[in-house]
Amino acid sequence: MSDNTPRVTLVTGGSGGIGRAVAERLAHDGHAVGVHYAGNKARADETVAAITSAGGRALAVGGDVADEHEMSAVFDAVEKEFGGIDVVVNTAGVMKLSPIATLDLDDLDRIHRTNIRGTFVVSQQAARRVRRGGAIINFATSVRRLALPTYGAYAASKAAVEAMTPILARELRGKDITVNAVAPGPTPTPLFLEGKDQATIDNLAKAPPMERLGTPQDSAEVVAFLAGPARWINGQVLFANGGLA
């Protein structure tokens, strides 16, 4: 792919939180963006409208990340609209906080279906379709290092994402496709804020040396680096957490 050719990116979970910030940042960098959503088309349409009103190109595409047939159709739609795919960013994820001893196992299955199987399904499609010179960017979590109580199921699911990432990078040897993961620290998205009181949020904000929570834009900045100039970073997990861990 020529350096002058506009890139095409698919962002799973692109309708809100970190996913929306990633979609908007990459569109600002000149990418055409497939904004994936699971159930909230209206939010995806808002993201698309924000991108197009700023002069970018975007398309809302819906599907269950853990369903290989639905995600194959999502990739088809983005390729048909924009001519191919160069970057895939896996931000879609779910979280349920509970001590391991009391976690409802149905919640465990739901977390792992989206975070592990979903990442695997999307990565599988990406490995088959991303063009030379492209990038696959997964999302892990800094909680895996912090070992915070009640995060057992979520951290376990993201540890699986960490494990998959360097393996896929090695499996794509010779294709000029990088595979990395971003591991954000505490970031005040709806996923993070649910179930937390203000004291907990304040304590987490004070924990990093930077003495603040992360923002979706902080994570988007790292994604933009991995999706563009960072061609010599491959098979890595980048912890974007202000020095928290």
Side-chain angles (χ1 to χ4, degrees):
M1 185 184 65
S2 167
D3 290 342
N4 296 321
T5 303
R7 290 199 147 197
V8 177
T9 294
L10 170 63
V11 181
T12 71
S15 61
I18 290 174
R20 176 167 180 167
V22 167
E24 292 182 347
R25 170 55 196 268
L26 294 182
H28 179 268
D29 289 350
H31 295 229
V33 182
V35 178
H36 163 268
Y37 64 93
N40 196 329
K41 185 177 186 299
R43 285 175 61 193
D45 287 341
E46 289 174 6
T47 304
V48 168
I51 290 170
T52 55
S53 67
R57 296 183 298 156
L59 172 73
V61 282
D64 176 0
V65 288
D67 186 307
E68 64 272 31
H69 305 294
E70 291 188 16
M71 291 314 296
S72 178
V74 165
F75 275 76
D76 286 345
V78 174
E79 289 177 336
K80 181 179 179 180
E81 180 74 11
F82 299 123
I85 296 178
D86 303 295
V87 179
V88 174
V89 187
N90 277 310
T91 77
V94 297
M95 180 169 65
K96 173 71 174 181
L97 301 184
S98 169
I100 290 171
T102 57
L103 178 68
D104 187 317
L105 293 181
D106 287 340
D107 288 331
L108 177 69
D109 291 342
R110 183 173 67 90
I111 292 166
H112 285 195
R113 185 177 189 277
T114 297
N115 296 359
I116 299 177
R117 181 186 168 96
T119 298
F120 198 100
V121 166
V122 174
S123 294
Q124 189 175 69
Q125 288 292 325
R128 297 169 180 171
R129 301 192 192 218
V130 168
R131 296 185 287 203
R132 291 188 67 84
I136 300 168
I137 303 164
N138 295 322
F139 263 73
T141 178
S142 290
V143 169
R144 200 272 300 159
R145 284 184 174 178
L146 298 171
L148 295 176
T150 73
Y151 280 85
Y154 180 72
S157 72
K158 292 300 189 175
V161 173
E162 281 194 38
M164 279 185 253
T165 297
I167 292 172
L168 182 57
R170 285 154 179 77
E171 290 176 347
L172 295 180
R173 173 183 290 274
K175 295 189 175 181
D176 192 24
I177 296 169
T178 61
V179 187
N180 294 289
V182 179
T187 303
T189 64
L191 187 73
F192 166 80
L193 294 172
E194 183 178 356
K196 292 183 177 67
D197 60 27
Q198 191 59 47
T200 299
I201 295 168
D202 290 343
N203 287 336
L204 287 168
K206 293 173 185 175
M210 305 296 287
E211 294 189 329
R212 67 172 176 86
L213 294 173
T215 68
Q217 289 72 29
D218 289 325
S219 293
E221 190 79 19
V222 181
V223 171
F225 176 57
L226 294 173
R231 300 307 303 163
W232 198 231
I233 297 177
N234 193 20
Q236 306 301 311
V237 179
L238 274 65
F239 286 80
N241 57 31
L244 179 61

